[in-house]
Amino acid sequence: MIINNFKPYEGENCETTAVGNLLKYNGIVLSEPMLFGIGEGISFIYWDSKQMGFPFLGGRCKQDVLTEKIVKNLNLNIEVCQTTSKSKAWENVKSKIDAGIPVGLKLDSYYLEYFTHKIHFAGHYVTIYGYDDKFAYLIDTAQQGSSVKTSLSSLSDARSAKGPMSSPNRSFIITGKNELPNLREIIISAIYNNAYEYLNPPIQNISFKGIRKTAKVIVNWFEKPGITPELITQTGVLMEKAGTGGALFRNMYRNFLKECDELYKDLELNSSYKNFCTIAHMWTEVSKMICSAGQNSSKQDLQRASDILMDIATLEEETMKTLLSKMQLRK
């Protein structure tokens, strides 16, 4: 069963791509940066735990929260299913596809057969729009090929995988064709809420405080038990290529602010847009320095990355304060 005339929504980030596909099915088409901004997605997290081989640097809000906020701000509904049963999980998805409804899936990309770079990442999202006796037909990011397929058995393994960021066989659909709220009001509220949360992190390893913490600990990565130059290089690659903590989300928020500025000049977002142009470039430099540090076993490159991160934290904090103040006047 394959949903007829299903045209993929192409994106760079897996979660916004999945949401974009489900919204498109509901007749709603917004740019990926607009989805990310409406979802109040910009943030940062430095996450280190015994379960992980190496610290994770993330450049956005928590998994699933982005989707929930997009749906809430657009006055739509989300129906989520989670179960530890592989058979129940598949039956749930299968019934939706049989009814002509595409489904968002959260899973571990390691098991997907079209992935060439095999790293366990259980916070990956895809859209399933069809299946047959052997394969599941999916929409992934443009980088992964957009319209792809993987065996049903590999999909089952990916969905039921355990570990950091995993959710047992999580699937979701988006429904509701109510009249959308006023876009200008949505944008003002989303920017205000995102800026407020960014400036008031609940713990020290989130947002600008997390960036400063990363800047302090990164210089000692070579002394951290179990850390190899290869793992450091891998972190740099993931930041820039996979977008976990590199420039991707800053580029996306930059483009969101630009689009909003073009739509509503009275919001005065151009200066913040220009700041995010600079910020995104700085994140790319951090990724380069981390890669270089791993490739050359260079503590000096980690120190350079640390210095840039300190500057990023200051500029992001200042920019979000400006956005908060401007949107507060317009609420």
Side-chain angles (χ1 to χ4, degrees):
M1 172 65 185
I2 296 178
I3 298 174
N4 292 328
N5 302 315
F6 188 82
K7 296 180 180 179
Y9 178 97
E10 293 193 0
E12 295 182 82
N13 169 251
C14 60
E15 189 169 358
T16 44
T17 299
V19 173
N21 275 289
L22 302 189
L23 291 181
K24 192 173 182 179
Y25 169 78
N26 283 279
I28 302 167
V29 180
L30 296 170
S31 72
E32 187 176 19
M34 184 61 73
L35 291 179
F36 184 71
I38 288 174
E40 305 167 23
I42 201 73
S43 188
F44 179 82
I45 184 169
Y46 180 86
W47 183 16
D48 193 5
S49 72
K50 294 180 180 180
Q51 289 180 294
M52 303 167 66
F54 196 72
F56 174 79
L57 280 62
R60 44 155 288 176
C61 65
K62 288 174 63 176
Q63 301 285 325
D64 306 325
V65 171
L66 181 66
T67 297
E68 292 166 2
K69 288 187 175 180
I70 292 171
V71 169
K72 178 183 177 182
N73 288 338
L74 291 177
N75 194 30
L76 299 168
N77 303 306
I78 185 170
E79 179 185 313
V80 178
C81 176
Q82 286 190 194
T83 174
T84 56
S85 169
K86 286 186 177 183
S87 59
K88 287 182 180 179
W90 175 242
E91 284 303 316
N92 176 267
V93 170
K94 183 174 176 290
S95 67
K96 298 294 191 299
I97 300 298
D98 290 346
I101 303 170
V103 183
L105 306 176
K106 184 182 179 188
L107 39 69
D108 188 340
S109 58
Y110 177 88
Y111 298 95
L112 300 176
E113 293 164 337
Y114 55 87
F115 261 73
T116 55
H117 196 51
K118 295 291 186 180
I119 296 176
H120 282 287
F121 179 60
H124 190 67
Y125 295 81
V126 298
T127 305
I128 180 169
Y129 69 97
Y131 68 90
D132 57 27
D133 291 342
K134 296 182 179 179
F135 296 101
Y137 296 89
L138 312 173
I139 306 298
D140 208 312
T141 60
Q143 182 182 352
Q144 296 302 330
S146 192
S147 297
V148 291
K149 68 178 182 179
T150 195
S151 67
L152 295 177
S153 60
S154 67
L155 182 69
S156 179
D157 290 340
R159 295 188 63 202
S160 60
K162 298 179 180 179
M165 300 186 204
S166 63
S167 301
N169 294 295
R170 183 181 178 94
S171 65
F172 58 97
I173 63 171
I174 294 174
T175 60
K177 295 186 179 181
N178 301 327
E179 184 176 347
L180 294 179
N182 180 276
L183 184 59
R184 183 178 180 278
E185 293 178 3
I186 294 173
I187 288 169
I188 291 171
S189 177
I191 293 176
Y192 176 87
N193 291 340
N194 204 161
Y196 183 85
E197 288 190 10
Y198 185 94
L199 293 168
N200 296 278
I203 51 178
Q204 295 295 311
N205 62 330
I206 289 178
S207 74
F208 69 97
K209 292 183 180 180
I211 297 172
R212 290 196 176 111
K213 178 174 181 177
T214 304
K216 292 175 183 178
V217 302
I218 195 175
V219 294
N220 298 315
W221 270 358
F222 281 112
E223 286 74 50
K224 191 173 174 63
I227 297 305
T228 64
E230 290 76 18
L231 283 173
I232 292 175
T233 301
Q234 177 179 295
T235 297
V237 171
L238 286 174
M239 283 178 67
E240 192 63 18
K241 301 300 182 183
T244 54
L248 172 63
F249 295 117
R250 270 58 191 172
N251 285 334
M252 207 173 284
Y253 206 72
R254 173 201 67 195
N255 293 343
F256 164 66
L257 292 175
K258 182 181 181 181
E259 187 173 346
C260 294
D261 183 54
E262 291 172 348
L263 288 170
Y264 308 106
K265 284 292 183 183
D266 62 302
L267 297 184
E268 299 178 350
L269 295 171
N270 189 254
S271 62
S272 296
Y273 155 70
K274 289 180 178 178
N275 281 354
F276 266 94
C277 290
T278 301
I279 289 166
H281 177 73
M282 293 167 76
W283 274 109
T284 296
E285 287 302 307
V286 169
S287 299
K288 288 180 180 178
M289 287 297 101
I290 292 176
C291 285
S292 180
Q295 292 163 356
N296 302 303
S297 297
S298 170
K299 189 170 182 177
Q300 185 177 357
D301 285 336
L302 288 182
Q303 182 61 59
R304 175 57 181 152
S306 173
D307 293 341
I308 301 172
L309 284 167
M310 281 296 189
D311 291 339
I312 287 173
T314 298
L315 185 52
E316 288 198 3
E317 182 184 10
E318 291 174 351
T319 303
M320 296 310 270
K321 283 181 178 178
T322 298
L323 287 171
L324 182 71
S325 177
K326 287 184 176 180
M327 295 307 104
Q328 193 167 25
L329 293 173
R330 291 163 173 82
K331 280 180 69 72

